[in-house]
Amino acid sequence: MKKYVLKRVLMSVVTLMVIVLVLFTLMQLLPGSPFNDERLSIEQQQVLMTKYGLNDPIPVQFFRYVKNMLTGDFGKSYTISKDTDVSLLLQNRLPISLLLGGISIALGSVVGLFLGIAAALKHNSLLDSAATFLSVVGVSIPSYVFALGLSYYFGFQLGWFPMLYSVSDGLLAFALPAVALSMTVMATVARFTRTEMIEVLSSDYIQLVESKGVSGGHLIFKHALRNASISIITILGPLVVSLMTGSLVVEKIFSIPGIGQLMVQAIQSNDYNVILALAFVYSALYIFVMLGVDIMYGVLDPRIRLAKEDSNG
Amino acid sequence: MTKLNKKHLLVSGLASLLVLSACGGETNEEVDSSAEADTSSDSQVLNVQVDVEVASMDPQIATDGTSFEVIANTIDGLYQVDADGNPIPALAETTDKSEDGLTYTFKIREDAEWTNGEPVTAQDFVYSWRRLANPETGSEYGYIMGIAGLENANEVLAGEKAPEELGVTALDEKTLEVKLANPVPYFESLMSFISFYPLNEEFMNEVGDQYGTSPDTLLANGAFEITSYEPAATTIQLEKNESYYDAESIELEGMKYQVIKDSQQAMLSYQNGDLDLVTLAGEQVDLFKDDPEFVNTQAGYLWYISPNTLVEGLENENLRKALAMSFDKEQIAETVLKDGSSAADYVIPEGLATGPDGKDFRETADTYLAYDPEAATEAFEVAKEETGQDTFTFGLLVEDTESAINVSQVLKSQIEDTLDGVTIEIEQMPKKTRLDRMKQGDYDLGLTRWGPDYADPMTYLDLWVTDGSNNDGSWSNEEYDEIVFSAIDGDLSLDTEARWEALKEAEAIIMDEAGVLPVYQKGNAVMMQDNVSGVDFHAVGLSRVYKNVVKE
């Protein structure tokens, strides 16, 4: 197991480096430069290009970038927040996106789990139909529609929650955006939980456990849910990443200073260092979560772990 | 068995973590809701919406309107502009101008100080001006030092002379002497421009490249000081600066900026009462234009089509004229844009500059190239004969913003309707790419814009001199060049009235040859709560000034 994890971690680091290289190459293909502004003469643009080392050969730029990156220096922003360290921008914005994503995931998966279990237990009942309906709505309606609706009714008309993000509102500021973002998670988790639970509940081993006299919460959580959780975790992985890394539109609607908005702005203004740093963060998070999911499989299901231990010696 | 228990623990641990974190979120929310009441708008705090983040709090680096606005709230320069746009002294207590107009001596107010208790000195200006002109700073507005006419400015900018040779010296702690290479009629007006605002050298050395990254790394000498800020922040809070020399006349206790990019959300917040001032976008203007809280402010931005005169066909003056008169500018402004913009039959925008006669430039200047399909067709016939060509196809570069795309589609259909034989192919691209291609001369027609930097027609006219760095279309006229250069540092610069007349002539020359094809002058529309008054709106430089704001 240890060896397996170590190998996976190393693979992840190599993958990340390759990603940075690919991104760096792609960036050279972006049209224009960060400095082609009306008011900058060609001579001045050259001065700026030299100042930031953008005239050096690309391999030189790449290795310098990687070297700096390893020390936590992601370079400076050229346009969005001029001459500010990109790491400072990330430091301010990443926690906000992570927190919002975290709350949405937690909220969505807990509600979704209970909805799914309830629907599976009361299979083909009114509750089941209601849960199914909710999850269809949640999956098919994009989160920004929920965001606009929530912000209009609960923010504007009723005034219960702040419509716009403000530090002074604390966690309350996350209420509406988190609910809006959690809808997809809730719906997806509920759907998968229901399907898996129905299957597991009708399986032989659950019948056996039941016949031994185990029932109620113990049966559901210890025996049934655990077996159903493999597929739920599989779909939760990518969802976690996409939510943690911020949702552009929801961030825009609620004026949340997260990294989703930053990314779009960076691309529009050719702010190379910001694009690179964000893409790196996205990739790192994705790889990290996937690694986590893989390890969780092993923990949850001895069969997977044993199979891997065999193949990895 | 032990193995199983371990796994068991892990699973239940994970599950409870999920549950706990969810609960944690909720309970905290409840606790915080009690605090919510306090954050609702204070009576004397002005809440302003902007649609883009502050790009820099550094006066010598900043270039955009939002950054300018926030900097000007916290830092005063030598001059400021009054409600009518005329320059009035700010930090300059007295100004002595030598008879030849080449030397200015400013006495800086004794009571002017930075928020760290240090006095604002002449050295602060020397430091920041050298910094602006130093090519290593990489200031986009560096060239404005040359516009202001400072001795050696252009040489310093080009890296040929050291920044220390710039024509600015501190005679003593509070006396600043500025030497110009040539008289500049709008010098005092330029002194209200943000790039000329001072910074404290000692403080700058202390904070280094961390300047402007938090309230602690910012220093104010102006009406407000920043209490909450981070790079690219979505909320910025300012408090009245009690040590400001004119603190008595500042009624506001503070200001709060909120970056809201979604114009609909911004409007809802305004209607909610959370915002006092909000910028309207596109169709909202039409929706709210009859509201008593609606304020239309003319912006100095001119949108025009730049014809690349090196492209076959476009070197022909009659063809350019035909194009210029073939589209209905009023229709574009009033039915397509609907944002308070107006048709431009000129290149010097309205409300930009006041002449020696005290009148706006446009009041006494002519208009040119108005929409006239008949004249356009006539000119087109001549052009066809002169070029020996019957059909023309031109690409039109536009940036991928909604308004630019809409305008370009109308331009295409109207030009093609009026001029039988002309085909326009629209090419959409990001603004940075458009600028790049236009600068390289890789285009036929380009829909572009220019915002004024200072309140004088020269902010536009010097764009189109032969080989000018912003003369993308390479239009060239000797007589025009002569007037512009003479107005900068020749005979005309010495005679303000003759200069003014000559500038009108210069505009007439470029318009007669259709060197550029003006389309419209941008309008800005805002909604302002009716209990707020005293916001000064300007078409040039600093677009909004809040020093006189009263909130009842």
Side-chain angles (χ1 to χ4, degrees):
Chain A
M1 183 79 180
K2 255 186 206 156
K3 203 170 170 190
Y4 168 70
V5 170
L6 195 73
K7 205 170 165 186
R8 286 301 316 264
V9 171
L10 275 176
M11 282 283 285
S12 308
V13 173
V14 174
T15 316
L16 262 179
M17 287 299 118
V18 173
I19 288 171
V20 172
L21 179 66
V22 170
L23 283 170
F24 209 88
T25 320
L26 282 177
M27 204 86 70
Q28 310 301 324
L29 301 175
L30 271 182
S33 91
F35 309 115
N36 46 359
D37 193 272
E38 290 115 315
R39 282 173 170 74
L40 281 176
S41 65
I42 293 187
E43 296 79 39
Q44 262 178 309
Q45 290 187 19
Q46 282 309 317
V47 170
L48 286 169
M49 294 288 275
T50 314
K51 176 179 168 189
Y52 292 111
L54 294 176
N55 281 333
D56 298 337
I58 290 160
V60 174
Q61 286 188 47
F62 176 71
F63 285 110
R64 185 175 48 218
Y65 185 82
V66 172
K67 202 183 101 207
N68 290 340
M69 198 186 71
L70 291 177
T71 63
D73 176 9
F74 287 93
K76 291 199 183 282
S77 163
Y78 302 138
T79 51
I80 293 176
S81 182
K82 289 179 185 168
D83 285 337
T84 307
D85 288 334
V86 174
S87 48
L88 189 66
L89 282 178
L90 286 183
Q91 203 181 308
N92 288 334
R93 291 191 170 228
L94 191 58
I96 295 175
S97 284
L98 289 184
L99 183 60
L100 175 59
I103 296 175
S104 320
I105 282 285
L107 192 67
S109 44
V110 168
V111 175
L113 215 55
F114 279 103
L115 264 180
I117 294 172
L121 288 177
K122 310 273 178 216
H123 190 32
N124 286 337
S125 69
L126 194 67
L127 184 74
D128 185 17
S129 317
T132 309
F133 175 75
L134 257 179
S135 53
V136 168
V137 167
V139 168
S140 49
I141 298 180
S143 55
Y144 67 85
V145 175
F146 286 116
L148 284 173
L150 288 170
S151 128
Y152 186 75
Y153 288 106
F154 295 99
F156 179 65
Q157 295 221 309
L158 297 171
W160 291 353
F161 297 98
M163 277 174 62
L164 299 168
Y165 178 83
S166 168
V167 185
S168 54
D169 288 334
L171 278 175
L172 194 69
F174 289 114
L176 297 182
V179 171
L181 282 174
S182 67
M183 292 305 273
T184 325
V185 184
M186 187 271 294
T188 318
V189 170
R191 215 157 40 105
F192 274 81
T193 311
R194 178 182 171 274
T195 322
E196 284 296 313
M197 283 295 273
I198 288 174
E199 204 185 306
V200 171
L201 282 174
S202 60
S203 67
D204 298 344
Y205 55 87
I206 291 293
Q207 313 239 315
L208 176 72
V209 172
E210 247 182 330
S211 68
K212 281 184 175 170
V214 181
S215 65
H218 196 66
L219 173 83
I220 294 162
F221 288 101
K222 193 180 165 193
H223 298 279
L225 187 60
R226 173 140 172 227
N227 280 293
S229 57
I230 300 284
S231 65
I232 299 169
I233 284 169
T234 312
I235 48 135
L236 214 49
L239 272 178
V240 167
V241 180
S242 70
L243 285 194
M244 290 277 196
T245 46
S247 154
L248 162 72
V249 188
V250 172
E251 279 186 9
K252 185 177 169 190
I253 289 171
F254 293 100
S255 278
I256 298 167
I259 56 175
Q261 280 208 49
L262 196 63
M263 185 70 168
V264 171
Q265 229 183 325
I267 292 174
Q268 280 171 347
S269 56
N270 281 356
D271 206 333
Y272 295 157
N273 284 342
V274 178
I275 305 178
L276 263 178
L278 283 178
F280 176 78
V281 168
Y282 281 123
S283 321
L285 267 172
Y286 191 82
I287 290 173
F288 179 74
V289 168
M290 283 319 191
L291 185 69
V293 167
D294 261 10
I295 294 170
M296 285 249 293
Y297 282 156
V299 172
L300 284 168
D301 191 338
R303 283 169 302 186
I304 295 177
R305 186 178 66 237
L306 289 173
K308 275 174 182 162
E309 270 170 10
D310 282 347
S311 65
N312 286 293
Chain B
M1 225 22 218
T2 45
K3 237 183 182 178
L4 208 114
N5 277 340
K6 248 194 233 162
K7 279 175 278 159
H8 198 140
L9 262 173
L10 245 171
V11 175
S12 51
L14 274 172
S16 53
L17 245 178
L18 275 180
V19 175
L20 270 179
S21 55
C23 291
E26 275 154 22
T27 41
N28 279 341
E29 279 166 23
E30 273 159 33
V31 173
D32 277 317
S33 66
S34 58
E36 186 208 18
D38 311 331
T39 58
S40 61
S41 55
D42 303 52
S43 57
Q44 281 303 310
V45 173
L46 190 75
N47 297 291
V48 179
Q49 173 256 346
V50 285
D51 53 14
V52 60
E53 292 91 347
V54 167
S56 176
M57 280 302 290
D58 184 332
Q60 276 84 54
I61 296 293
T63 52
D64 63 292
T66 305
S67 303
F68 277 0
E69 200 178 305
V70 180
I71 292 173
N73 286 330
T74 63
I75 301 180
D76 261 22
L78 289 171
Y79 274 71
Q80 58 191 333
V81 285
D82 66 8
D84 301 324
N86 300 312
I88 53 168
L91 289 177
E93 190 148 46
T94 61
T95 306
D96 275 325
K97 183 177 165 186
S98 68
E99 221 150 275
D100 57 7
L102 292 177
T103 310
Y104 283 82
T105 314
F106 299 102
K107 267 269 181 248
I108 293 158
R109 296 184 68 105
E110 283 300 327
D111 51 1
E113 56 177 58
W114 296 100
T115 36
N116 62 359
E118 293 293 318
V120 179
T121 64
Q123 186 55 39
D124 294 340
F125 282 94
V126 175
Y127 167 73
S128 61
W129 289 18
R130 283 179 182 164
R131 194 166 167 263
L132 177 66
N134 191 339
E136 277 171 29
T137 312
S139 171
E140 288 182 36
Y141 267 119
Y143 77 94
I144 206 153
M145 200 50 96
I147 304 276
L150 260 77
E151 250 179 28
N152 294 332
N154 292 322
E155 289 83 353
V156 174
L157 283 165
E160 290 157 13
K161 283 189 177 170
E164 287 69 34
E165 291 187 63
L166 190 70
V168 58
T169 23
L171 296 183
D172 59 47
E173 192 181 271
K174 291 283 187 182
T175 315
L176 184 73
E177 189 189 67
V178 182
K179 284 204 181 296
L180 306 188
N182 50 271
V184 175
Y186 43 88
F187 184 76
E188 285 165 28
S189 153
L190 267 182
M191 290 302 102
S192 68
F193 193 73
I194 310 296
S195 302
F196 291 100
Y197 282 15
L199 284 173
N200 183 279
E201 184 172 8
E202 207 178 308
F203 182 76
M204 290 300 283
N205 289 337
E206 226 170 86
V207 294
D209 65 356
Q210 292 301 304
Y211 176 79
T213 51
S214 67
D216 296 336
T217 55
L218 284 162
L219 213 49
N221 71 21
F224 301 93
E225 60 180 316
I226 283 190
T227 52
S228 161
Y229 182 78
E230 61 181 39
T234 50
T235 35
I236 302 171
Q237 273 169 328
L238 298 95
E239 231 167 62
K240 182 178 173 180
N241 174 9
E242 294 299 340
S243 68
Y244 180 49
Y245 65 84
D246 200 17
E248 266 175 36
S249 62
I250 305 295
E251 299 255 351
L252 285 180
E253 280 161 16
M255 288 183 67
K256 184 178 172 190
Y257 280 93
Q258 178 100 37
V259 181
I260 308 173
K261 296 182 188 236
D262 188 301
S263 51
Q264 213 171 322
Q265 289 291 102
M267 199 58 215
L268 285 180
S269 294
Y270 174 84
Q271 289 172 331
N272 235 358
D274 291 343
L275 293 172
D276 297 310
L277 185 64
V278 60
T279 306
L280 296 178
E283 280 159 16
Q284 286 180 331
V285 178
D286 210 31
L287 217 58
F288 291 102
K289 65 172 187 278
D290 299 322
D291 196 295
E293 293 169 3
F294 178 87
V295 185
N296 194 349
T297 64
Q298 191 76 286
Y301 278 94
L302 177 80
W303 279 86
Y304 62 94
I305 298 174
S306 162
N308 187 352
T309 59
L310 302 179
V311 165
E312 209 192 317
L314 290 175
E315 83 289 348
N316 184 289
E317 190 182 311
N318 280 305
L319 182 61
R320 293 199 304 263
K321 273 174 140 170
L323 288 170
M325 294 185 288
S326 65
F327 48 87
D328 188 346
K329 303 170 195 177
E330 251 155 59
Q331 194 196 333
I332 289 173
E334 278 155 30
T335 64
V336 181
L337 290 162
K338 294 190 286 195
D339 60 357
S341 297
S342 51
D345 298 325
Y346 45 73
V347 285
I348 309 300
E350 234 176 280
L352 170 76
T354 313
D357 51 2
K359 286 182 184 159
D360 187 78
F361 185 88
R362 284 261 66 85
E363 268 182 63
T364 53
D366 284 333
T367 55
Y368 313 87
L369 301 172
Y371 171 56
D372 186 344
E374 271 170 42
T377 322
E378 264 171 50
F380 187 49
E381 291 306 320
V382 181
K384 282 203 268 194
E385 244 167 66
E386 285 170 353
T387 56
Q389 226 181 309
D390 277 347
T391 54
F392 300 89
T393 304
F394 299 119
L396 174 63
L397 299 200
V398 290
E399 57 201 54
D400 50 9
T401 57
E402 201 185 319
S403 61
I405 292 169
N406 289 344
V407 169
S408 68
Q409 280 159 352
V410 177
L411 284 172
K412 175 184 159 72
S413 79
Q414 294 202 347
I415 292 175
E416 288 176 353
D417 275 357
T418 315
L419 308 176
D420 191 19
V422 174
T423 313
I424 301 290
E425 284 166 359
I426 296 173
E427 295 178 61
Q428 285 176 25
M429 60 196 67
K431 184 180 176 189
K432 291 259 174 188
T433 315
R434 172 178 71 73
L435 290 172
D436 203 34
R437 284 195 43 190
M438 289 184 66
K439 207 152 235 176
Q440 314 254 343
D442 177 19
Y443 74 106
D444 304 333
L445 298 168
L447 182 62
T448 185
R449 65 160 203 183
W450 185 262
D453 296 328
Y454 49 96
D456 190 86
M458 285 297 285
T459 192
Y460 281 94
L461 293 175
D462 77 350
L463 295 177
W464 300 300
V465 294
T466 308
D467 294 330
S469 67
N470 284 299
N471 188 357
D472 300 328
S474 308
W475 173 79
S476 169
N477 180 297
E478 255 176 60
E479 207 184 330
Y480 179 89
D481 289 355
E482 220 166 89
I483 295 176
V484 171
F485 289 127
S486 172
I488 292 174
D489 53 11
D491 293 344
L492 284 175
S493 69
L494 305 173
D495 183 344
T496 44
E497 270 157 47
R499 179 179 178 277
W500 201 249
E501 289 310 311
L503 295 182
K504 287 182 199 166
E505 211 177 301
E507 187 190 34
I509 295 172
I510 187 167
M511 289 288 84
D512 280 344
E513 290 192 10
V516 294
L517 326 177
V519 185
Y520 65 94
Q521 179 175 354
K522 179 86 171 74
N524 270 347
V526 298
M527 290 287 277
M528 190 162 71
Q529 302 282 8
D530 52 13
N531 62 342
V532 175
S533 61
V535 181
D536 298 336
F537 296 97
H538 301 294
V540 57
L542 196 54
S543 56
R544 302 194 280 205
V545 179
Y546 299 98
K547 282 182 185 170
N548 307 319
V549 171
V550 181
K551 199 176 165 186
E552 280 147 22

